[in-house]
Amino acid sequence: MTSPIERSLVLVKPDAVRRGLLGEIISRFEVKGLAIEAMELRTMDAALADQHYADHVDKAFYPPLKEFMTSGPLVALVLSGDQVIEVVRAMIGATDGRKAAAGTIRGDLSLSNRENLVHASDSPQSAARELALWFPKL
Ligand code: CMP
């Protein structure tokens, strides 16, 4: 029996767009063999930030995170592939770019735990919630 192909919601964050790292980051997903099912350049507004980060809105780091995430365009992607959620989380590395392993996107390209270039769904449940929020028609 074949299992259905999994999907993940990935955001290439405003710091990556500003730093000209879109090509580098999207290329890593492409060469890994993941499929891009949807891709959109858009700016997150305050309401979407509160919904997307519903688990974090009460945390001390949320106000500056919200300001950062709404500060300019980002690229929202739907990626699919075998175990894509786990695969992409491994590819992006630990939250804090200073601690993320070399070879990961954050480990190679970020020195921050806020401006960490990429967000990716961390479980099938969060993927379903985030995909419905960002790409309701998909
Ligand atoms: P992300 O994967 O988008 O999920 C939550 C985000 O909050 C995280 O990436 C970081 O951008 C940010 N974040 C998490 N922990 C901290 C922290 N301790 N300080 C600042 N930002 C954080």
Side-chain angles (χ1 to χ4, degrees):
M1 202 176 83
T2 54
S3 50
I5 294 290
E6 206 173 74
R7 284 173 166 169
S8 179
L9 185 276
V10 173
L11 304 176
V12 187
K13 297 185 180 186
D15 54 334
V17 178
R18 276 194 285 274
R19 290 176 57 196
L21 293 173
L22 276 182
E24 162 80 29
I25 292 169
I26 293 169
S27 172
R28 290 191 183 208
F29 298 132
E30 285 188 298
V31 298
K32 181 70 176 173
L34 300 171
I36 298 173
E37 292 201 10
M39 178 160 74
E40 201 175 297
L41 184 75
R42 64 191 265 193
T43 302
M44 204 183 208
D45 63 20
L48 181 56
D50 291 348
Q51 287 178 289
H52 176 83
Y53 284 125
D55 291 345
H56 297 310
V57 288
D58 296 327
K59 295 187 181 149
F61 65 75
Y62 185 64
L65 172 66
K66 180 176 178 177
E67 188 171 333
F68 160 57
M69 289 299 293
T70 57
S71 67
L74 53 74
V75 170
L77 293 160
V78 179
L79 296 182
S80 68
D82 191 16
Q83 296 186 32
V84 64
I85 295 169
E86 200 181 327
V87 166
V88 171
R89 293 287 294 185
M91 289 177 73
I92 69 177
T95 301
D96 188 334
R98 294 164 297 194
K99 296 180 182 141
T104 65
I105 292 170
R106 290 166 172 164
D108 289 349
L109 304 170
S110 169
L111 265 177
S112 170
N113 66 347
R114 176 179 309 119
E115 301 201 8
N116 60 1
L117 302 168
V118 186
H119 164 86
S121 306
D122 64 6
S123 66
Q125 293 72 26
S126 65
R129 189 183 72 80
E130 293 170 2
L131 288 164
L133 211 50
W134 286 86
F135 292 95
K137 292 186 194 137
L138 215 68

Coordinates of all heavy atoms in Angstrom, one line a residue, residues 30-85:
E30 N 14.7 22.2 -4.0 CA 14.6 21.6 -5.4 C 15.6 20.5 -5.6 O 15.2 19.4 -6.0 CB 14.8 22.7 -6.5 CG 13.7 23.6 -6.7 CD 13.9 24.5 -7.9 OE1 14.9 25.3 -7.9 OE2 13.1 24.4 -8.8
V31 N 16.8 20.7 -5.2 CA 17.9 19.7 -5.5 C 17.7 18.5 -4.6 O 18.1 17.4 -4.9 CB 19.3 20.2 -5.4 CG1 19.5 21.3 -6.5 CG2 19.7 20.8 -4.1
K32 N 17.0 18.7 -3.4 CA 16.7 17.6 -2.5 C 15.7 16.6 -3.2 O 15.6 15.5 -2.9 CB 16.1 18.1 -1.2 CG 15.8 17.1 -0.2 CD 17.1 16.4 0.4 CE 16.7 15.4 1.5 NZ 17.9 14.7 1.9
G33 N 14.9 17.2 -4.1 CA 13.9 16.4 -4.8 C 12.5 16.6 -4.4 O 11.6 15.9 -4.8
L34 N 12.3 17.7 -3.6 CA 10.9 18.0 -3.2 C 10.2 18.7 -4.3 O 10.9 19.5 -5.1 CB 11.0 18.9 -1.9 CG 11.7 18.2 -0.7 CD1 11.9 19.1 0.4 CD2 10.9 17.0 -0.2
A35 N 8.9 18.6 -4.3 CA 8.1 19.3 -5.4 C 7.5 20.6 -4.8 O 7.1 20.6 -3.7 CB 7.0 18.4 -5.8
I36 N 7.6 21.6 -5.6 CA 6.9 22.9 -5.3 C 5.5 22.9 -5.8 O 5.3 22.9 -7.1 CB 7.7 24.1 -5.8 CG1 9.1 24.1 -5.3 CG2 6.9 25.4 -5.5 CD1 10.0 25.2 -5.9
E37 N 4.5 22.8 -5.0 CA 3.1 22.7 -5.4 C 2.5 24.1 -5.5 O 1.5 24.2 -6.3 CB 2.3 21.8 -4.5 CG 2.7 20.4 -4.6 CD 1.6 19.4 -4.1 OE1 0.5 19.9 -3.8 OE2 2.0 18.3 -3.9
A38 N 3.0 25.0 -4.8 CA 2.5 26.4 -4.8 C 3.6 27.3 -4.3 O 4.4 26.9 -3.5 CB 1.2 26.6 -4.0
M39 N 3.6 28.5 -4.8 CA 4.6 29.5 -4.4 C 4.1 30.9 -4.6 O 3.6 31.2 -5.7 CB 5.9 29.3 -5.2 CG 7.0 30.2 -4.8 SD 8.6 29.6 -5.3 CE 8.6 29.9 -7.0
E40 N 4.2 31.7 -3.6 CA 3.6 33.1 -3.7 C 4.4 34.1 -2.9 O 4.8 33.8 -1.7 CB 2.2 33.0 -3.1 CG 1.3 34.1 -3.5 CD -0.1 33.8 -2.9 OE1 -0.8 32.8 -3.3 OE2 -0.6 34.6 -2.1
L41 N 4.8 35.2 -3.5 CA 5.4 36.3 -2.8 C 4.3 37.1 -2.2 O 3.4 37.7 -2.9 CB 6.2 37.1 -3.8 CG 7.0 38.3 -3.2 CD1 8.3 37.8 -2.5 CD2 7.4 39.3 -4.3
R42 N 4.3 37.2 -0.9 CA 3.3 38.1 -0.2 C 3.8 38.6 1.1 O 4.7 38.1 1.7 CB 2.0 37.3 -0.1 CG 2.0 36.1 0.8 CD 0.7 35.3 0.7 NE -0.3 35.7 1.7 CZ -1.4 34.9 1.9 NH1 -1.6 33.9 1.2 NH2 -2.2 35.3 2.9
T43 N 3.1 39.6 1.6 CA 3.4 40.2 2.9 C 2.4 39.8 3.9 O 1.2 39.9 3.7 CB 3.5 41.8 2.8 OG1 4.4 42.1 1.7 CG2 3.9 42.4 4.1
M44 N 2.9 39.3 5.0 CA 2.0 38.8 6.1 C 1.5 40.0 6.8 O 2.2 40.9 7.2 CB 2.9 38.0 7.1 CG 2.3 37.0 8.0 SD 3.6 36.4 9.1 CE 3.0 34.8 9.4
D45 N 0.1 40.1 7.0 CA -0.4 41.2 7.8 C -0.5 40.7 9.3 O -0.3 39.6 9.6 CB -1.7 41.7 7.2 CG -2.8 40.7 7.2 OD1 -2.8 39.8 8.0 OD2 -3.8 40.9 6.5
A46 N -0.9 41.7 10.1 CA -0.9 41.5 11.6 C -1.9 40.3 11.9 O -1.6 39.5 12.8 CB -1.3 42.7 12.3
A47 N -3.1 40.3 11.3 CA -4.1 39.3 11.6 C -3.5 37.9 11.2 O -3.7 36.9 12.0 CB -5.4 39.6 10.8
L48 N -2.9 37.8 10.0 CA -2.4 36.5 9.6 C -1.2 36.0 10.6 O -1.1 34.9 10.9 CB -1.9 36.5 8.2 CG -1.3 35.2 7.6 CD1 -2.3 34.1 7.7 CD2 -0.9 35.4 6.1
A49 N -0.4 37.0 11.0 CA 0.7 36.7 11.9 C 0.1 36.1 13.2 O 0.6 35.1 13.7 CB 1.5 37.9 12.2
D50 N -0.9 36.7 13.7 CA -1.5 36.2 15.0 C -2.1 34.8 14.8 O -2.1 34.0 15.7 CB -2.6 37.2 15.5 CG -2.1 38.5 16.0 OD1 -0.8 38.6 16.1 OD2 -2.9 39.4 16.1
Q51 N -2.7 34.6 13.6 CA -3.2 33.2 13.4 C -2.1 32.2 13.2 O -2.2 31.1 13.7 CB -4.1 33.2 12.2 CG -5.5 34.0 12.4 CD -6.3 34.0 11.1 OE1 -5.9 34.7 10.1 NE2 -7.3 33.2 11.0
H52 N -1.2 32.6 12.3 CA -0.1 31.6 12.0 C 0.7 31.2 13.3 O 1.0 30.1 13.5 CB 0.8 32.2 11.0 CG 2.0 31.4 10.6 ND1 2.0 30.4 9.7 CD2 3.3 31.4 11.1 CE1 3.2 29.8 9.7 NE2 4.0 30.4 10.5
Y53 N 1.0 32.3 14.1 CA 1.8 32.0 15.3 C 0.9 31.9 16.6 O 1.3 32.4 17.7 CB 2.8 33.1 15.5 CG 4.0 32.9 14.5 CD1 4.4 34.0 13.7 CD2 4.8 31.8 14.5 CE1 5.5 33.8 12.8 CE2 5.9 31.6 13.7 CZ 6.2 32.6 12.8 OH 7.3 32.5 12.0
A54 N -0.3 31.4 16.4 CA -1.3 31.3 17.5 C -0.7 30.7 18.8 O -1.0 31.1 19.9 CB -2.5 30.5 17.1
D55 N 0.3 29.7 18.7 CA 0.9 29.1 19.8 C 1.9 30.0 20.5 O 2.3 29.7 21.6 CB 1.7 27.8 19.4 CG 0.7 26.7 19.0 OD1 -0.5 26.8 19.3 OD2 1.2 25.8 18.4
H56 N 2.3 31.1 19.9 CA 3.4 32.0 20.4 C 2.9 33.4 20.8 O 3.7 34.1 21.3 CB 4.5 32.1 19.3 CG 5.1 30.9 19.0 ND1 5.6 30.0 19.9 CD2 5.4 30.3 17.7 CE1 6.2 28.9 19.3 NE2 6.1 29.1 18.0
V57 N 1.6 33.7 20.6 CA 1.2 35.1 20.7 C 1.4 35.6 22.2 O 1.6 36.8 22.4 CB -0.3 35.4 20.3 CG1 -0.4 35.3 18.8 CG2 -1.2 34.4 21.0
D58 N 1.4 34.7 23.2 CA 1.6 35.2 24.5 C 3.1 35.2 25.0 O 3.4 35.5 26.1 CB 0.8 34.3 25.5 CG -0.7 34.4 25.2 OD1 -1.1 35.5 24.8 OD2 -1.4 33.4 25.4
K59 N 3.9 34.8 24.1 CA 5.4 34.7 24.5 C 6.1 36.1 24.4 O 5.7 36.9 23.6 CB 6.1 33.7 23.7 CG 5.5 32.3 23.9 CD 6.3 31.2 23.3 CE 5.6 29.8 23.6 NZ 5.8 28.9 22.5
A60 N 7.1 36.2 25.2 CA 7.8 37.5 25.2 C 8.4 37.8 23.9 O 8.5 39.0 23.5 CB 8.9 37.5 26.3
F61 N 8.8 36.8 23.1 CA 9.5 37.1 21.9 C 8.5 37.4 20.7 O 8.9 37.7 19.6 CB 10.4 35.9 21.5 CG 9.8 34.6 21.2 CD1 9.1 34.4 20.0 CD2 9.9 33.5 22.1 CE1 8.5 33.2 19.7 CE2 9.3 32.3 21.8 CZ 8.6 32.1 20.6
Y62 N 7.2 37.3 21.0 CA 6.2 37.4 19.9 C 6.1 38.9 19.3 O 6.2 39.0 18.1 CB 4.8 36.9 20.3 CG 3.9 37.0 19.1 CD1 4.2 36.2 18.0 CD2 2.9 37.9 19.1 CE1 3.4 36.3 16.8 CE2 2.1 38.0 17.9 CZ 2.3 37.2 16.8 OH 1.6 37.3 15.7
P63 N 6.1 39.9 20.1 CA 5.9 41.3 19.5 C 7.1 41.6 18.5 O 6.8 42.0 17.4 CB 5.9 42.2 20.7 CG 5.3 41.4 21.8 CD 5.9 40.0 21.6
P64 N 8.4 41.4 18.9 CA 9.4 41.6 17.8 C 9.3 40.6 16.7 O 9.7 41.0 15.5 CB 10.7 41.5 18.6 CG 10.4 40.9 19.9 CD 9.0 41.1 20.2
L65 N 8.9 39.4 16.9 CA 8.7 38.4 15.9 C 7.7 38.8 14.9 O 7.9 38.8 13.7 CB 8.4 37.0 16.5 CG 8.0 35.9 15.4 CD1 9.2 35.6 14.5 CD2 7.4 34.7 16.1
K66 N 6.6 39.4 15.4 CA 5.5 39.8 14.6 C 5.9 41.0 13.7 O 5.6 41.1 12.5 CB 4.3 40.2 15.5 CG 3.1 40.7 14.7 CD 2.0 41.0 15.7 CE 0.7 41.5 15.1 NZ -0.4 41.7 16.1
E67 N 6.7 41.9 14.4 CA 7.2 43.1 13.6 C 8.1 42.6 12.5 O 8.0 43.1 11.4 CB 7.9 44.0 14.6 CG 8.3 45.3 13.9 CD 8.8 46.3 14.9 OE1 8.5 46.2 16.1 OE2 9.6 47.2 14.5
F68 N 8.9 41.7 12.8 CA 9.9 41.2 11.8 C 9.1 40.5 10.6 O 9.3 40.7 9.4 CB 10.8 40.2 12.4 CG 11.5 39.3 11.5 CD1 12.3 39.7 10.4 CD2 11.4 37.9 11.7 CE1 12.9 38.8 9.5 CE2 12.0 37.0 10.8 CZ 12.7 37.5 9.7
M69 N 8.2 39.6 11.0 CA 7.5 38.8 10.0 C 6.6 39.6 9.1 O 6.2 39.2 8.0 CB 6.7 37.6 10.6 CG 7.6 36.5 11.2 SD 8.6 35.7 10.0 CE 7.4 34.8 9.0
T70 N 6.1 40.8 9.6 CA 5.3 41.7 8.8 C 6.0 42.8 8.1 O 5.5 43.7 7.6 CB 4.1 42.2 9.6 OG1 4.7 43.0 10.7 CG2 3.2 41.1 10.2
S71 N 7.4 42.8 8.2 CA 8.2 43.9 7.8 C 8.5 44.0 6.3 O 9.0 45.0 5.8 CB 9.6 43.8 8.5 OG 10.3 42.7 8.1
G72 N 8.1 43.0 5.6 CA 8.3 43.0 4.1 C 7.9 41.7 3.5 O 7.4 40.8 4.2
P73 N 8.0 41.6 2.2 CA 7.5 40.3 1.5 C 8.3 39.1 2.0 O 9.5 39.1 2.3 CB 7.7 40.6 0.1 CG 8.7 41.8 0.0 CD 8.6 42.5 1.2
L74 N 7.6 38.0 2.0 CA 8.1 36.7 2.2 C 7.6 35.8 1.0 O 6.7 36.2 0.3 CB 7.7 36.1 3.6 CG 6.3 36.1 4.0 CD1 5.5 35.0 3.2 CD2 6.1 35.9 5.5
V75 N 8.2 34.6 0.9 CA 7.7 33.6 -0.1 C 7.1 32.4 0.7 O 7.8 31.8 1.5 CB 8.8 33.2 -1.0 CG1 8.4 32.0 -1.9 CG2 9.3 34.3 -1.9
A76 N 5.8 32.2 0.4 CA 5.1 31.1 1.0 C 5.1 30.0 0.0 O 4.8 30.2 -1.2 CB 3.7 31.5 1.3
L77 N 5.5 28.8 0.4 CA 5.6 27.6 -0.5 C 4.8 26.4 0.1 O 4.8 26.2 1.3 CB 7.1 27.1 -0.5 CG 8.2 28.0 -1.1 CD1 9.5 27.5 -0.5 CD2 8.2 27.8 -2.6
V78 N 4.3 25.7 -0.8 CA 3.8 24.4 -0.4 C 4.7 23.4 -1.1 O 4.9 23.3 -2.3 CB 2.3 24.1 -0.9 CG1 1.9 22.7 -0.5 CG2 1.4 25.2 -0.4
L79 N 5.4 22.6 -0.2 CA 6.3 21.6 -0.7 C 5.7 20.2 -0.4 O 5.0 20.0 0.6 CB 7.7 21.7 0.1 CG 8.5 22.9 -0.2 CD1 9.8 22.8 0.6 CD2 8.8 23.2 -1.6
S80 N 6.0 19.3 -1.3 CA 5.5 17.9 -1.1 C 6.6 16.9 -1.4 O 7.6 17.2 -2.1 CB 4.3 17.6 -2.0 OG 4.6 17.6 -3.3
G81 N 6.5 15.8 -0.9 CA 7.4 14.7 -1.1 C 7.4 13.7 0.1 O 6.6 13.9 1.0
D82 N 8.1 12.6 -0.1 CA 8.1 11.6 0.9 C 8.6 12.1 2.3 O 9.8 12.7 2.4 CB 9.0 10.5 0.4 CG 8.9 9.2 1.3 OD1 7.9 9.1 2.0 OD2 9.8 8.3 1.2
Q83 N 7.8 12.1 3.3 CA 8.2 12.6 4.7 C 8.7 14.0 4.6 O 9.6 14.4 5.3 CB 9.2 11.6 5.3 CG 8.7 10.3 5.6 CD 9.6 9.4 6.4 OE1 10.4 9.8 7.2 NE2 9.6 8.1 6.1
V84 N 8.0 14.8 3.8 CA 8.5 16.2 3.6 C 8.6 17.0 4.9 O 9.5 17.8 5.0 CB 7.6 16.9 2.5 CG1 6.2 17.1 3.0 CG2 8.2 18.3 2.1
I85 N 7.7 16.8 5.8 CA 7.7 17.6 7.0 C 9.0 17.4 7.8 O 9.7 18.4 8.1 CB 6.4 17.3 7.9 CG1 5.2 17.7 7.1 CG2 6.5 18.0 9.3 CD1 3.9 17.2 7.8

